[in-house]
């Protein structure tokens, strides 16, 4: 996959600013236990814009990160329209380990999934995420940032593939 986004990174001085972020990812996921428990392993290559103090309006560098993410997710159906959703995702740095900690961040999430239609094609996911981000080894020892996040997502499982139609040849009666 590929994503472009703006986020607020923290540099060595822990000064936040808006930054452009471009990422490519590869992932493998599978479900077990009646499709309620899922695992996802994702590798991400991320390029984050680094800006220059004091005005933070000029790009002076691009920071590269190679991140491995592992997520364990459990969905507990409550009824046909509602399910509980729990997951924990751990991020590991896989690049420049001399200046970066191996443990990058942890995201713990609990929420609800609302099925918006009978076919379960459209869903809304709403919940709370506790995000703990660990700074690089260049910063103060054991420094971390904790974010309390209210997350609301609209999810679509629309199939864009065309159904194959089988063209049956009319039977020719044999005399």
């Amino acid at each position: 996959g590929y994503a472009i986004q703006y986020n607020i990174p923290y540099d060595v001085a822990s000064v936040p600013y808006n930054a452009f972020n471009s990422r490519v990812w590869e992932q493998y996921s599978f479900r077990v236990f009646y499709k309620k428990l899922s695992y996802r392993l994702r590798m991400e290559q991320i390029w984050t814009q680094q800006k220059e103090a004091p005005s933070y309006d000029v790009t002076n560098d691009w920071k590269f990160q190679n991140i491995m993410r592992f997520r364990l997710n459990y969905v507990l159906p409550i009824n046909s329209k509602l399910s509980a959703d729990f997951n924990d995702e751990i991020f590991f740095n896989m690049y420049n380990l001399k200046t970066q900690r191996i443990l990058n961040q942890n995201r713990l999430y609990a929420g609800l999934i609302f099925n918006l239609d009978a076919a379960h094609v459209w869903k809304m996911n709403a919940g709370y995420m506790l995000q703990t981000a660990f700074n690089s080894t260049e910063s103060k020892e054991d420094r971390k940032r904790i974010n309390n996040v209210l997350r609301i997502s609209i999810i679509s499982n629309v199939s864009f593939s065309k159904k194959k139609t089988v063209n049956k040849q009319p039977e020719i009666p044999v005399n």
Side-chain angles (χ1 to χ4, degrees):
Y2 180 72
I4 295 174
Q5 64 189 42
Y6 283 90
N7 57 7
I8 303 176
Y10 283 74
D11 60 9
V12 176
S14 292
V15 179
Y17 53 86
N18 290 325
F20 178 79
N21 177 306
S22 177
R23 61 183 66 209
V24 177
W25 73 82
E26 307 79 35
Q27 76 178 26
Y28 175 74
S29 59
F30 61 96
R31 293 176 184 231
V32 294
F33 191 61
Y34 304 104
K35 296 187 177 183
K36 293 179 185 177
L37 185 64
S38 64
Y39 300 90
R40 182 180 77 185
L41 180 64
R42 177 185 280 190
M43 292 295 296
E44 289 185 339
Q45 296 75 43
I46 306 167
W47 292 267
T48 304
Q49 181 182 29
Q50 304 289 294
K51 294 186 178 182
E52 193 172 302
S55 64
Y56 296 101
D57 59 357
V58 176
T59 300
N60 64 348
D61 198 9
W62 291 87
K63 179 181 177 184
F64 175 76
Q65 290 179 287
N66 195 13
I67 302 288
M68 180 176 69
R69 298 166 62 165
F70 177 73
R71 183 182 74 186
L72 179 63
N73 190 80
Y74 183 72
V75 175
L76 178 64
I78 297 171
N79 59 41
S80 64
K81 292 190 177 230
L82 185 66
S83 298
D85 186 17
F86 306 97
N87 70 58
D88 190 16
E89 187 168 25
I90 301 171
F91 292 57
F92 298 97
N93 282 315
M94 305 302 291
Y95 177 77
N96 201 8
L97 297 177
K98 290 180 182 176
T99 60
Q100 299 292 320
R101 296 174 195 255
I102 291 175
L103 182 60
N104 180 285
Q105 63 178 278
N106 188 34
R107 293 180 179 176
L108 191 61
Y109 176 80
L112 295 172
I113 300 171
F114 303 92
N115 294 311
L116 302 177
D117 63 342
H120 296 197
V121 173
W122 291 94
K123 300 176 184 182
M124 184 175 77
N125 192 326
Y128 168 78
M129 180 173 59
L130 175 65
Q131 178 190 30
T132 305
F134 301 95
N135 285 356
S136 71
T137 56
E138 297 172 341
S139 62
K140 188 176 178 181
E141 191 64 30
D142 294 328
R143 190 174 195 170
K144 61 186 174 186
R145 184 178 77 234
I146 296 186
N147 297 320
N148 295 293
V149 180
L150 174 62
R151 187 174 84 179
I152 300 173
S153 306
I154 301 292
I155 303 161
S156 169
N157 291 324
V158 174
S159 175
F160 292 104
S161 63
K162 293 182 181 179
K163 291 185 177 183
K164 291 183 180 180
T165 57
V166 178
N167 292 329
K168 288 188 175 183
Q169 296 295 327
E171 290 186 25
I172 301 174
V174 178
N175 293 340

